[in-house]
Amino acid sequence: MCRWAAYLGAPIFVEEVVVHPAHSLIHQSQGAEEAKTAINADGFGLAWYDHLPKPGLYRDVLPAWSDPNLRAIAEQVRSRLFLAHVRASTGSATSRNNCHPFTHGCWSFMHNGQVGGFERFRKHADMLIPDSHYSVRRGATDSEVLFLLMHAEIERGTEPVAALAHATGALVDLSRVHGAAPHLRLSAAFSNGKTLWAARYATDKHAPSVYYRWSESRQGWAVVSEPLEQTEGDWTELAPGHVAQFHGAEVELQLFAPTV
């Protein structure tokens, strides 16, 4: 399973989440503690927001711990909102196009988990993507399909959480007919450049972990797969079957389940 971290708040250097903490995202790429696999070496990615509505994006296939460019970017880029991800593939090839986050317009999205038996029905899943979005499809992952289905719903006017529910529901339906159990395991973070959302859900009892914490010193939210510092005891675990919406210093929780 992958690991990810997101930040929303007063601008900070990306390295304050990705590099410096004792259990930073780079550290988790070599030693994850709450995942099926401790090593997440199948690429990484970073999406960040600054002056433009759409995010900057850097992705590569090297392990996060061995790419000096990632450390250099994290040292120089100061952002009020960013998403970072280290990948452990569940079957698709190691390539830049399969690395998270995925972006389109002002939206960014990253995912940890799987759609059960996706390789058995990938063609069916691709056919769900509307023509307006299929040209954006670059890779071969279930996560990218999920993002494009969600984005298409948002462009139709659907509220973001409902859009994710519709998208996951469509893929769960395919998994039940053509795939395998567990039909969905999901922790995801996504943003439109203003608000940050995080979702946690599974069709079995093993929803991938999500935690969040408000920092008074930084005046910002860290939303992560695993706590960045074990000495900080005020991390809150997002309960399975919920979405957290972060905006400013506020967090709003709501129930989440695929629309089937």
Side-chain angles (χ1 to χ4, degrees):
M1 293 292 187
C2 310
R3 302 284 84 183
W4 56 257
Y7 173 83
L8 170 70
I12 64 171
F13 289 103
V14 171
E15 66 180 0
E16 295 182 48
V17 170
V18 173
V19 180
H20 284 168
H23 197 48
S24 69
L25 194 62
I26 286 181
H27 185 270
Q28 291 176 41
S29 71
Q30 300 178 82
E33 297 177 352
E34 299 189 36
K36 289 175 62 178
T37 57
I39 305 299
N40 297 270
D42 298 322
F44 64 86
L46 172 67
W48 70 95
Y49 294 87
D50 194 358
H51 298 296
L52 300 177
K54 70 177 184 178
L57 181 65
Y58 176 59
R59 301 184 295 182
D60 211 335
V61 297
L62 293 173
W65 68 78
S66 67
D67 187 338
N69 293 322
L70 174 59
R71 291 178 182 270
I73 289 172
E75 181 181 14
Q76 293 293 331
V77 171
R78 193 165 181 262
S79 175
R80 58 182 171 76
L81 173 55
F82 57 85
L83 286 68
H85 186 279
V86 291
R87 183 172 182 252
S89 172
T90 56
S92 55
T94 300
S95 72
R96 283 191 183 92
N97 288 333
N98 287 338
C99 291
H100 308 220
F102 303 101
T103 64
H104 186 43
C106 68
W107 287 90
S108 56
F109 175 91
M110 59 187 179
H111 169 227
N112 169 37
Q114 64 192 72
V115 179
F118 179 75
E119 290 302 316
R120 303 180 192 175
F121 60 85
R122 189 170 71 183
K123 180 180 177 181
H124 295 282
D126 278 0
M127 291 174 67
L128 294 178
I129 302 171
D131 292 345
S132 60
H133 285 67
Y134 194 77
S135 62
V136 182
R137 174 87 155 132
R138 295 286 184 266
T141 64
D142 51 1
S143 302
E144 187 183 24
V145 173
L146 177 58
F147 172 53
L148 293 176
L149 293 178
M150 173 186 156
H151 192 281
E153 285 288 338
I154 291 171
E155 287 204 334
R156 294 187 190 107
T158 306
E159 183 268 333
V161 174
L164 179 63
H166 282 293
T168 52
L171 293 180
V172 167
D173 283 347
L174 285 177
S175 177
R176 293 190 189 280
V177 175
H178 303 288
H183 300 295
L184 179 67
R185 289 179 179 169
L186 173 138
S187 74
F190 50 98
S191 180
N192 59 3
K194 298 176 182 178
T195 299
L196 175 65
W197 290 266
R200 185 183 183 197
Y201 181 83
T203 53
D204 62 3
K205 297 181 180 180
H206 302 289
S209 56
V210 179
Y211 297 86
Y212 58 92
R213 178 179 182 269
W214 170 259
S215 170
E216 285 291 343
S217 60
R218 293 191 176 98
Q219 289 293 293
W221 292 101
V223 188
V224 299
S225 294
E226 300 183 14
L228 301 176
E229 296 282 0
Q230 301 299 335
T231 57
E232 296 169 341
D234 53 349
W235 290 93
T236 299
E237 183 175 5
L238 181 64
H242 283 77
V243 170
Q245 177 179 325
F246 303 89
H247 190 84
E250 303 297 323
V251 57
E252 178 183 341
L253 302 177
Q254 64 184 96
L255 293 172
F256 175 81
T259 302
V260 294

